[in-house]
Amino acid sequence: MMRAQRVRLAPQVPAWRREQAAPAFGLRGPLARAGWAAGTRHAEAFSASPTAPPPERDGVGAAVRGSVVPLSASDQQPMTSGHPLAERELSAGLQAQARVIDTAFAAIEPLLKSLAKDQFSANFVPHAQAILHEELGLDVAPEWLRTSWSEPLAMPALRAHCVLGTFCRLVEDGLERGFALTSEGENAADLIRRFGFHAIDITPCADGRLCGVVDHILRVPPAIVAYRRSFAGALFDVEEALRHWEHTELSRWRAGVPNAPLVPSSYLKMGVYHFSRSDPAHGGCAAHGSDERRAAEALLRRLDDFAAAVRHTHGADVPLATLLVGVDTDSDAVRVHVPDATGQCSVERSVDALDLYGKTQGLSRDAAKELLRAAVARCAGVPADDPGTEGMRWLCGYLLKNNLAQVDAVRVWHGGSYAERGHTERLIVVGDSADDVQLRNLAFQAQMDTLEEGAADLDVGVKILGRLLAPAGLAVPVLVHVRYEPKIPGAAVRARHRASRLSEAIARRYTSEVRARVHVEAVLRAGENAKLESLAPRDVHDTRPAP
């Protein structure tokens, strides 16, 4: 067992990138200082044309140059947005950040391929360490790089180690998540509280295409999101959700956080399912057999069970609301199932953002917002000035307005829908959610305390990433992420045991049950925004012959 060590993740930007560095839009910390030219190009303006590529260097750097994410045709000549609800500056910031993330991961394989050619050279280990540090910002231990003629580099495990290290580095770099802090000039968290909601608990499907649901798709400020945990099919654990509600309400009564208990406001539990307009039979939720209606109905039943659990436990008048939302992963357009006057959602009743996008095109901004409000009221079956549903209706309108800006951004940068509509996730995150880095198809999220409760979710993720990586003989990178509260006595020890238990259980499961390589690493985090502490990695490969 390797000794636990701190993850050293400060990025070291290659020289050719430093030469072109410019202030990065919407980024802070090392990323802002570095500039990351590929992302900065997108932040300058929607109509900006890409700058020339940096001059090629000799040796390894030349190979890495090709790893910078290439600009697609739509990136090179983005369409001009004329939609009244477009948020150009916000969208440009999110796009710049997406380029930073994509570029960081795209650099890994070309660099490792280049290093593999020299792995039997003298002084390879310190040379490779220096290159990995300079190009990827990773401090890779010598054990990963030692080779002999009979034991070459364990490339599947090394690649997975670099993928997980890059994700952790991006987490620690502190990417900007404040793009949506204001709405129409008002603090967005205050605005949502004015709508009558003091906390939002979001449960999306674990599918990586929903990995940007908070920052990109819904554009909700993180400050108002009390919990965000993902499950296959978005089928969350009702008892755990009840504990989250109780914790939030206790904080209101004991500390007045997020607001005082006598303030009339509600806790909102939101469930997010997904579907594909272009390929409904195959591109939807794997946990529900790509059946859109089945996914929506199952999640609605789970939301109703949660509401019943809270009310049966704490009384019928508890401050609680539920909301069902669908996402078309082709375009990021949402379908909001607006609750009626009784607070009940219906699969049969919804407002579709893609439909509204066309109807609001060409209107003034105020007229477009008014059309959204009318559509929401019509869906709820109430007058547009109904006082009893006002808060929820305004919240639904706010979510639709935000999402129309995302739909517009996808139109501008991708021609209306993503070219890659399937799975391209880089890793699986197990344990506690890691929301610091948000981007479509970044990670399959499988939140769980024990493998027993989350095995089905993890199996889905391993199957998805295994299909992507197994043909090349690569390992599925799995990050066990466990967060603990450092103020609680013994929490660090218990978190370490939990992380080790999960890692060992995953290793055992995928040694005995599948013919796929799974590389597992675990990190601990002492609360929010803390450094990550790594535990010993595990590489698992089932060597049984194929039947």
Side-chain angles (χ1 to χ4, degrees):
M1 178 74 75
M2 291 174 58
R3 181 170 56 87
Q5 54 186 299
R6 287 282 180 182
V7 181
R8 298 177 59 192
L9 302 172
Q12 300 295 316
V13 181
W16 63 260
R17 289 184 190 157
R18 288 196 294 270
E19 290 167 5
Q20 289 201 341
F25 181 93
L27 303 178
R28 56 189 172 86
L31 291 180
R33 292 192 293 274
W36 289 70
T40 305
R41 287 197 293 271
H42 288 263
E44 291 171 351
F46 265 29
S47 60
S49 60
T51 57
E56 187 169 307
R57 300 190 313 168
D58 294 331
V60 173
V64 176
R65 196 198 74 130
S67 71
V68 175
V69 177
L71 297 174
S72 67
S74 61
D75 287 335
Q76 294 172 15
Q77 295 181 333
M79 298 168 62
T80 301
S81 170
H83 197 276
L85 297 179
E87 298 286 354
R88 295 169 184 81
E89 186 176 356
L90 190 158
S91 296
L94 290 171
Q95 183 68 12
Q97 196 166 96
R99 301 299 289 179
V100 169
I101 297 167
D102 281 336
T103 298
F105 284 102
I108 295 171
E109 287 192 21
L111 177 56
L112 293 181
K113 289 177 181 178
S114 178
L115 289 175
K117 300 173 184 177
D118 301 323
Q119 61 181 296
F120 302 116
S121 303
N123 299 317
F124 171 73
V125 171
H127 170 72
Q129 284 182 301
I131 293 296
L132 288 164
H133 182 79
E134 179 186 2
E135 300 292 348
L136 302 183
L138 301 178
D139 292 330
V140 177
E143 302 92 273
W144 290 96
L145 302 169
R146 294 193 182 111
T147 63
S148 69
W149 69 270
S150 59
E151 291 190 22
L153 283 173
M155 196 57 76
L158 179 58
R159 177 197 173 274
H161 180 63
C162 290
V163 168
L164 297 176
T166 297
F167 180 79
C168 290
R169 176 173 64 75
L170 290 167
V171 167
E172 287 202 332
D173 282 345
L175 294 176
E176 178 61 60
R177 296 196 64 203
F179 295 113
L181 286 180
T182 62
S183 178
E184 308 296 326
E186 184 174 354
N187 180 283
D190 291 344
L191 181 67
I192 293 171
R193 293 189 181 106
R194 191 154 59 80
F195 293 159
F197 302 97
H198 55 261
I200 300 178
D201 178 353
I202 301 178
T203 296
C205 179
D207 191 295
R209 290 170 293 183
L210 297 185
C211 198
V213 66
V214 175
D215 290 6
H216 292 257
I217 296 173
L218 299 177
R219 301 189 176 193
V220 174
I224 199 71
V225 179
Y227 298 96
R228 203 287 302 150
R229 285 172 68 83
S230 299
F231 300 89
L235 297 181
F236 58 91
D237 181 272
V238 171
E239 285 77 11
E240 180 187 60
L242 173 61
R243 290 193 296 272
H244 290 165
W245 179 89
E246 291 171 337
H247 181 270
T248 301
E249 296 309 309
L250 179 63
S251 295
R252 294 181 73 209
W253 283 95
R254 297 292 297 173
V257 176
N259 63 358
L262 299 181
V263 174
S265 62
S266 295
Y267 180 104
L268 176 65
K269 177 67 177 179
M270 184 189 305
V272 184
Y273 69 95
H274 65 99
F275 58 94
S276 168
R277 278 188 172 90
S278 66
D279 189 9
H282 305 94
C285 182
H288 295 292
S290 214
D291 187 322
E292 173 188 340
R293 185 178 184 88
R294 190 170 122 198
E297 288 177 342
L299 180 52
L300 181 56
R301 284 194 299 271
R302 194 60 57 96
L303 288 170
D304 290 343
D305 288 347
F306 165 69
V310 174
R311 289 175 176 133
H312 291 165
T313 306
H314 296 283
D317 59 345
V318 294
L320 175 68
T322 58
L323 182 62
L324 179 67
V325 176
V327 175
D328 172 18
T329 54
D330 298 344
S331 64
D332 281 350
V334 300
R335 184 177 291 162
V336 180
H337 296 262
V338 183
D340 61 17
T342 68
Q344 183 62 45
C345 298
S346 170
V347 172
E348 310 293 345
R349 194 179 61 249
S350 64
V351 179
D352 194 306
L354 204 59
D355 178 55
L356 289 177
Y357 184 86
K359 291 180 178 178
T360 50
Q361 186 77 50
L363 299 180
S364 69
R365 188 172 180 85
D366 286 342
K369 290 192 292 183
E370 191 58 41
L371 191 149
L372 264 59
R373 296 185 193 110
V376 168
R378 189 163 52 250
C379 182
V382 300
D385 59 353
D386 177 59
T389 59
E390 183 179 55
M392 177 60 81
R393 287 189 292 105
W394 279 77
L395 176 72
C396 291
Y398 166 80
L399 295 176
L400 286 163
K401 176 182 72 71
N402 291 355
N403 182 248
L404 286 180
Q406 175 65 8
V407 170
D408 184 76
V410 174
R411 176 183 176 274
V412 167
W413 294 107
H414 302 280
S417 62
Y418 294 102
E420 179 52 73
R421 297 176 184 178
H423 292 279
T424 58
E425 290 95 336
R426 279 88 167 192
L427 68 152
I428 299 173
V429 177
V430 173
D432 295 326
S433 60
D435 286 339
D436 311 73
V437 186
Q438 291 226 347
L439 184 65
R440 180 183 188 272
N441 257 338
L442 174 61
F444 185 95
Q445 299 254 5
Q447 269 71 78
M448 64 188 74
D449 289 322
T450 65
L451 183 61
E452 289 79 6
E453 69 176 283
D457 290 11
L458 185 56
D459 285 348
V460 173
V462 170
K463 182 177 180 181
I464 289 171
L465 269 75
R467 279 200 301 259
L468 298 173
L469 300 173
L474 298 175
V476 175
V478 177
L479 181 70
V480 174
H481 173 248
V482 175
R483 188 184 292 109
Y484 66 93
E485 176 50 64
K487 293 184 291 187
I488 299 176
V493 173
R494 289 189 292 274
R496 186 179 299 276
H497 286 329
R498 179 187 165 205
S500 297
R501 186 177 66 246
L502 267 172
S503 299
E504 291 166 3
I506 293 169
R508 288 194 301 270
R509 182 174 185 82
Y510 294 104
T511 295
S512 61
E513 294 194 7
V514 297
R515 279 186 305 278
R517 174 166 289 175
V518 176
H519 178 83
V520 188
E521 298 189 22
V523 292
L524 305 180
R525 197 173 195 183
E528 300 292 336
N529 304 318
K531 296 292 183 182
L532 301 175
E533 179 185 353
S534 68
L535 305 182
R538 292 176 176 273
D539 188 55
V540 190
H541 188 208
D542 181 358
T543 57
R544 294 175 299 171

